[in-house]
């Protein structure tokens, strides 16, 4: 049977690279993943990590340092318990990541299109603090906007833990909830959702 890849993140920061995603093949278990650049191993990763919303553990994380990173020479080699190996090239990784980004952008567009319909007047942003100087409040002009963050700072209306929203907010207080670059920092994102 065919395997299924998904790449959630392909992050490059100075010499550091981090790639996360899922790999599954029915009836098979991934044993290991190794990152190879220009024919040389540069790092390994963790496999069979919990996958939100699924009983089967299919997530992988690969991190490595490389001064002369070149995605064209990168290969991730996954080995299954039965000895089978599957390779994912740097180009394939980038394509899968960009596909996910496009899907995210479509979902965000659908969200903002929905906000234009009557009945979506009260918006909550989880993780609203302008930690990097980015404030998204202006995206919600004409709406009743509230920003919540675990720390006080610019663009924070309510200081509170998102895991305990009911301690800070009345039920049915909002028509829509928005969040960017926050859920990956939460201890229990499923509880917040």
């Amino acid at each position: 049977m065919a395997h299924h890849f998904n790449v959630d993140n392909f992050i490059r920061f100075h010499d550091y690279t981090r790639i996360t995603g899922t790999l599954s093949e029915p009836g098979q278990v991934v044993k290991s993943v190794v990152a190879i650049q220009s024919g040389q191993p540069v790092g390994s990763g963790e496999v069979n990590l919990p996958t939100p919303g699924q009983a089967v553990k299919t997530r992988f994380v690969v991190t490595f340092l490389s001064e002369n990173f070149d995605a064209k020479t990168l290969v991730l080699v996954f080995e299954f318990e039965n000895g089978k190996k599957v390779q994912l090239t740097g180009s394939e990784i980038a394509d899968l990541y960009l596909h996910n980004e496009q899907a995210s952008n479509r979902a965000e567009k659908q969200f903002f299109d929905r906000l234009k319909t009557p009945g979506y007047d009260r918006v909550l942003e989880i993780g609203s603090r302008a930690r990097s100087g980015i404030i998204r409040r202006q995206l919600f002009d004409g709406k009743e906007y509230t920003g919540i963050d675990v720390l006080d700072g610019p663009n924070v209306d309510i200081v509170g833990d998102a895991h305990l929203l009911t301690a800070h907010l009345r039920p049915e207080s909002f028509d829509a909830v928005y969040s960017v670059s926050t859920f990956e920092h939460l201890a229990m994102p499923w509880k917040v959702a």
Side-chain angles (χ1 to χ4, degrees):
M1 297 200 138
H3 53 269
H4 174 73
F5 277 116
N6 187 36
V7 177
D8 302 326
N9 281 299
F10 188 177
I11 299 168
R12 178 89 179 124
F13 184 73
H14 298 289
D15 296 343
Y16 174 82
T17 301
R18 177 183 171 95
I19 303 166
T20 65
T22 57
L23 169 62
S24 63
E25 184 168 331
Q28 299 297 326
V29 176
V30 178
K31 183 171 95 173
S32 65
V33 59
V34 177
I36 298 173
Q37 184 177 341
S38 301
Q40 299 295 317
V42 291
S44 59
E46 296 181 64
V47 295
N48 305 318
L49 299 171
T51 307
Q54 295 184 18
V56 180
K57 297 179 179 181
T58 60
R59 293 194 60 71
F60 68 85
V61 175
V62 178
T63 58
F64 58 91
L65 296 174
S66 176
E67 289 181 25
N68 302 311
F69 178 79
D70 183 357
K72 295 175 191 161
T73 65
L74 176 67
V75 177
L76 294 185
V77 179
F78 295 86
E79 184 174 356
F80 291 89
E81 285 187 340
N82 67 358
K84 177 182 175 180
K85 291 185 179 180
V86 175
Q87 293 187 7
L88 186 64
T89 67
S91 296
E92 291 170 320
I93 295 166
D95 287 347
L96 288 167
Y97 175 66
L98 291 173
H99 176 75
N100 271 351
E101 282 290 295
Q102 290 170 353
S104 295
N105 291 341
R106 282 193 303 273
E108 187 173 44
K109 182 184 179 317
Q110 290 173 343
F111 174 81
F112 281 104
D113 285 347
R114 174 73 57 93
L115 282 182
K116 293 175 186 173
T117 60
Y120 292 91
D121 301 317
R122 303 167 299 167
V123 178
L124 174 68
E125 181 179 5
I126 297 174
S128 65
R129 183 169 47 102
R131 185 175 153 226
S132 303
I134 299 171
I135 295 177
R136 293 182 176 84
R137 184 180 294 259
Q138 74 281 359
L139 297 174
F140 304 99
D141 283 345
K143 304 291 180 186
E144 183 183 319
Y145 172 94
T146 303
I148 186 171
D149 201 281
V150 71
L151 296 173
D152 195 11
N155 201 48
V156 176
D157 300 308
I158 298 171
V159 177
D161 186 340
H163 295 91
L164 306 169
L165 287 176
T166 56
H168 307 289
L169 307 166
R170 292 184 329 272
E172 300 182 32
S173 298
F174 299 95
D175 305 309
V177 179
Y178 185 76
S179 187
V180 175
S181 300
T182 299
F183 273 66
E184 66 268 28
H185 300 287
L186 299 172
M188 295 177 285
W190 59 91
K191 182 177 180 184
V192 178

